[in-house]
Amino acid sequence: QVQLVESGGGLVQAGGSLRLSCAASGSIFRFNTMAWYRQAPGKERELVASISTGGRTNYADSVKGRFTISRDNAKITVYLQMNSLKPEDTAVYYCNLLQSANQYWGQGTQVTVSS
């Protein structure tokens, strides 16, 4: 079993920054991909950014240049540094771990950006 615990959400003004963290524990394989997804009210969940064990990253076009995903493999923790936040970034952000075709999700953390 795998557990993902997120932290770091909150309320911030437009143009501000937040840093999300997600710590994984349990039966974690050596090779995996960790990611952040988000879901705004009335919208589908979407991929924000992902990072492999080897450090390969992928970003949604809407966050390129503003968000940075990183990970500490020793701590099995993934981070999302969010800068220049916009009201449209408001959503529940979910941590995701993919290994051997199995997906695991965190409980979600609310990010609210006021205009």
Side-chain angles (χ1 to χ4, degrees), residues 58-112:
N58 180 50
Y59 293 92
D61 287 343
S62 59
V63 306
K64 283 181 181 176
R66 300 189 298 123
F67 291 9
T68 302
I69 191 169
S70 61
R71 64 186 288 167
D72 183 330
N73 288 331
K75 296 181 179 179
I76 321 177
T77 299
V78 64
Y79 306 95
L80 186 67
Q81 177 66 44
M82 304 185 292
N83 299 329
S84 302
L85 282 160
K86 304 176 181 179
E88 50 263 44
D89 294 318
T90 295
V92 177
Y93 284 68
Y94 296 91
C95 179
N96 174 278
L97 185 146
L98 174 66
Q99 60 182 20
S100 189
N102 293 316
Q103 276 198 102
Y104 303 90
W105 295 93
Q107 79 284 358
T109 184
Q110 178 70 46
V111 172
T112 302

